[in-house]
Amino acid sequence: MVHLSRRTVLLAGVAWAVTEPVPNNVHAQDGSRPSLPIPAELRAGAGGTIRLDARLGSMQFVGDRKTATYGINGFYLGPAVRVRRGEKVVAQVSNNVPETITMHWHGLIIPGAADGGPHQVIPPGKQWQTELAVDQQAATLWFHPHSYPATAQEVIRGLAGLLIIDDEESDRLPLPSRWGVDDIPLIIQDRRFTPDGQFFDRMNYIAVTNGYVGDTALVNGARYPQARTARGWIRLRILNGSNARSYALAASDGRSLYVIGSDGGLLANPVELKRLLIHVGERFEVLVDGRDGRAFDIVTLPVTQDIMRLPPFDGPLSLVTIRPEGADGTGQLPSSLAVLPALPRQLPPMSQELVMNMFRDQQGMMPLKTAGLMEMVKSGKTDPAVVARVVSLIVTDPVLSPTDQLSANGVNGKSFSIERMDFAAARNRDLRWRISEGNDLMLHPVHIHGCQFRIISRDGKPPEAERAGWKDVAPISAGGATEILLRFPHPANRDAPYMAHCHILEHEDSGMMTQFTV
Ligand code: C2O
Ligand code: CU
Ligand code: CU
C-alpha cells in the first residue's frame, strides 16, 4: 500500500509554454510559468514495502520538443520516499529502462549489501529488493543510480529522488512541515539540450575534467517554475542534484536564508546567510521568512568553477519564484534545533588519506585556456566569442574510448577498478580521514558511503557553520585538504564494499572513486 498525500502533484510530463529564455531577476506575471512540481510522498504501507520503478518517460523541456527521459514511478525524477527512524522497510526497485542500473541510498547508514552501490546491479527487466533499517536522525537524503561507469548518464536522464527521514525529535520542533504547502523540496539540476531537444551527454576530455556543463536550470524538472506556498515561514529542502555544478543561492530581494539542516540532519542552531554555496550531492534545509506575503526568487550567483560561469550562469540567474500568498503558515524558526555532539578534544589518529587525482588535466584544461575561458572569467566580462568557442569544445570535443575515460581520474594514484578492494576501515570506531587533491586545483565534493561524518577542518580552519553538522559530502578545492571524523556502524564486505568518490559524476565515472570494506 502506498499513501499519496492529497496535496501532492506527481512529477508528470505536463507541457508548459516557456518559449523564450526567461530574463534574469524578472518576475513574470503572466500565467505561462510552470508551477513547481512537488514530488509525491511515498511511504511504506502496511506490507512495509516501498516500490520504485525506473522507467522510460518523456518531457517537454524546450519548446514543443519531446525529450526522452527516465523517471522513477513517473516521467522524470522520482517520488519523495519518507521513512521514520526505527522503521524497517523493504525497498523493491524494478528496472524498466534499457540499461543496467543500481539504486543507491545516498546518506543512509546501512550495510554495504543494502547500499545500492556499483556491485548491486539491476539488469534491465529485473528487480532488486533490499531491507532498509533506518537508524539515524531526521534528514533530507536522496537516491540515485550508481552504475559504474554510467552514473552520470543515468542521472542526466532523470533517475534521482528524495529520501526523507523523520524522527520524534524533529517532530517536536515547530518547523514548517506541510509538504508542498510550507515544506518545499527543491531539486536543482542543470541540463543542456541537443538541437532536437534530447539531453546533451558527451564523455569527452572537457567532461571528465570539468564535469557536465548545462545551460538550462531545472528545479524539480521544471524551468524557472513558481511555487505558491503558505504565507509564513517556508522550509526549503534543497538538493543539488546536478552532475557537476555548484550553486551560490540567494534570495532575489536579499532576504536571509536560515540554514537549519545539512546533509545528515539538523544543525544545532540556525545559520543566517545571504548566500549559500551548495555543491553536487549536498543538501541543505533552509527556512525563509515569507510572513510578508511578498514573492521573491531563489537565484544562483556566479561560482568559482571557471566553466560554470558560461551564460546564463554569468550573473544572477533566477531558479524558482516563491509566492507566499496562501493561508497563514504555522511553522516557526526555532532558535535551537538539535543536539550535535561536540568533536572530541582528543582526535583519533589519522587512519586514511584520500587524494583525488586528475590524470588528464592538461587535455581538458588546455583547450579551454586557449579558447580564452580563464582570461574571460578573470576579466569578469562575458565575451560571446569566447563563450562560443568554449561551448563548441563542450559539444564537439571527441568522445573518449572506454579505456581513456576510465583512466582519466583516480584516487590515491589509481583509477577505480571494480575488482580491486583498496582498503579496509575499522567498524564502530571513531576514525579520522584526510581528503585532499593532487596537483589540480579543482573543486571535488567528496562523498563517502556508509556513514554521516563531521568536518574537523578545511584547509586548517574550522568548517563554515552550515557545514559543521552531519555531512556525507566534503568539498575540497584550490589544492586544499579536509579532515573528517567518521564512524561505520555496519559491515561492508568484499562483495558489497562502500564507495568513496568525488560526486562530480563525470569524475566518478572516469576513475575518481575508491572502494573499501568495513
Ligand atoms: Cu550520491 Cu556514491 O553517491
Ligand atoms: Cu552515497
Ligand atoms: Cu572531482
Side-chain angles (χ1 to χ4, degrees):
M1 270 290 292
V2 162
H3 305 291
L4 300 179
S5 84
R6 283 245 244 71
R7 277 281 315 183
T8 54
V9 181
L10 274 160
L11 266 177
V14 182
W16 59 78
V18 177
T19 46
E20 290 159 4
V22 180
N24 293 348
N25 275 338
V26 172
H27 297 290
Q29 295 300 328
D30 59 335
S32 70
R33 303 255 320 268
S35 297
L36 176 74
I38 302 293
E41 293 174 283
L42 177 59
R43 294 183 167 86
T49 303
I50 286 170
R51 288 195 181 81
L52 298 177
D53 177 22
R55 53 172 90 143
L56 295 170
S58 122
M59 294 280 282
Q60 259 176 269
F61 296 107
V62 269
D64 52 12
R65 276 155 291 184
K66 283 205 162 44
T67 306
T69 58
Y70 291 171
I72 300 164
N73 303 1
F75 289 172
Y76 184 76
L77 296 176
V81 172
R82 289 196 88 132
V83 290
R84 286 191 71 84
R85 181 170 205 165
E87 196 180 7
K88 270 198 185 111
V89 303
V90 173
Q92 200 179 82
V93 183
S94 311
N95 180 7
N96 289 304
V97 302
E99 61 183 302
T100 293
I101 64 166
T102 80
M103 204 52 78
H104 167 58
W105 323 103
H106 178 130
L108 201 58
I109 308 172
I110 45 172
D115 191 47
H119 295 261
Q120 286 107 46
V121 294
I122 320 173
K126 291 283 190 292
Q127 263 190 10
W128 176 62
Q129 188 164 305
T130 191
E131 187 187 75
L132 305 177
V134 182
D135 185 21
Q136 65 194 89
Q137 63 273 24
T140 300
L141 314 178
W142 63 305
F143 54 92
H144 61 77
H146 217 301
S147 332
Y148 192 76
T151 298
Q153 73 189 46
E154 292 174 4
V155 172
I156 288 172
R157 285 244 164 164
L159 297 184
L162 292 171
L163 172 58
I164 296 176
I165 303 179
D166 297 296
D167 71 1
E168 263 149 48
E169 270 158 64
S170 68
D171 284 354
R172 258 182 254 128
L173 294 168
L175 294 168
S177 47
R178 285 177 299 156
W179 190 245
V181 177
D182 57 12
D183 186 351
I184 311 289
L186 299 178
I187 304 171
I188 307 173
Q189 300 176 305
D190 66 323
R191 294 290 184 270
R192 178 182 295 275
F193 296 90
T194 62
D196 64 344
Q198 301 311 304
F199 286 128
F200 167 79
D201 176 14
R202 195 174 174 90
M203 271 290 197
N204 51 26
Y205 275 130
I206 307 295
V208 295
T209 50
N210 296 274
Y212 188 87
V213 186
D215 60 1
T216 304
L218 300 178
V219 182
N220 300 354
R223 288 172 65 174
Y224 191 28
Q226 47 186 345
R228 291 205 163 70
T229 70
R231 178 181 177 132
W233 283 98
I234 300 149
R235 178 193 206 156
L236 305 175
R237 296 183 191 255
I238 306 170
L239 159 66
N240 182 348
S242 307
N243 282 33
R245 178 183 296 279
S246 300
Y247 300 89
L249 303 176
S252 55
D253 59 2
R255 75 181 70 198
S256 294
L257 308 176
Y258 297 87
V259 184
I260 59 162
S262 58
D263 301 337
L266 293 170
L267 300 175
N269 307 99
V271 175
E272 180 181 359
L273 295 176
K274 296 293 179 193
R275 177 182 171 279
L276 170 62
L277 189 61
I278 183 167
H279 303 295
V280 286
E282 285 188 314
R283 288 86 61 210
F284 284 111
E285 290 188 32
V286 169
L287 256 54
V288 279
D289 187 352
R291 288 176 295 183
D292 59 2
R294 301 246 295 271
F296 59 93
D297 281 2
I298 296 293
V299 304
T300 183
L301 308 171
V303 295
T304 51
Q305 296 163 291
D306 284 338
I307 204 167
M308 300 303 177
R309 296 176 67 122
L310 297 177
F313 295 94
D314 52 342
L317 177 72
S318 286
L319 301 175
V320 57
T321 302
I322 307 290
R323 298 185 180 283
E325 291 162 354
D328 283 355
T330 51
Q332 278 164 34
L333 175 70
S335 56
S336 74
L337 299 159
V339 180
L340 271 187
L343 297 180
R345 280 250 224 70
Q346 187 71 47
L347 290 167
M350 190 77 65
S351 56
Q352 188 62 45
E353 289 254 7
L354 297 177
V355 183
M356 304 297 125
N357 309 117
M358 299 186 73
F359 303 128
R360 295 290 180 271
D361 227 8
Q362 286 307 306
Q363 286 86 334
M365 303 311 279
M366 273 319 286
L368 299 178
K369 276 195 191 125
T370 311
L373 176 68
M374 286 69 177
E375 287 288 300
M376 183 185 88
V377 166
K378 233 183 274 153
S379 80
K381 275 197 222 85
T382 303
D383 176 346
V386 174
V387 172
R389 285 199 294 269
V390 174
V391 169
S392 142
L393 285 166
I394 293 169
V395 300
T396 64
D397 198 45
V399 175
L400 298 178
S401 71
T403 327
D404 285 341
Q405 179 186 325
L406 300 185
S407 61
N409 292 306
V411 178
N412 293 345
K414 291 181 207 147
S415 296
F416 180 73
S417 158
I418 197 140
E419 265 97 55
R420 184 189 69 228
M421 292 303 130
D422 293 312
F423 59 94
R427 187 172 166 195
N428 268 329
R429 238 199 276 152
D430 280 347
L431 304 170
R432 178 154 64 118
W433 288 13
R434 183 173 190 272
I435 307 167
S436 64
E437 56 191 339
N439 324 324
D440 78 271
L441 304 176
M442 288 186 64
L443 166 77
H444 303 292
V446 177
H447 168 57
I448 301 165
H449 292 209
C451 65
Q452 286 290 335
F453 56 76
R454 302 284 296 281
I455 299 179
I456 300 166
S457 66
R458 176 164 183 196
D459 305 334
K461 293 186 289 269
E464 314 95 295
E466 68 276 19
R467 286 189 178 77
W470 294 108
K471 291 285 296 166
D472 56 49
V473 177
I476 53 166
S477 64
T482 291
E483 285 194 17
I484 60 172
L485 181 73
L486 68 176
R487 170 186 276 265
F488 298 99
H490 300 292
N493 63 30
R494 300 183 64 87
D495 307 320
Y498 288 138
M499 304 290 137
H501 58 91
C502 176
H503 219 288
I504 289 181
L505 300 181
E506 290 72 22
H507 288 176
E508 172 183 336
D509 279 348
S510 58
M512 202 181 288
M513 178 154 71
T514 180
Q515 59 185 356
F516 60 99
T517 56
V518 172

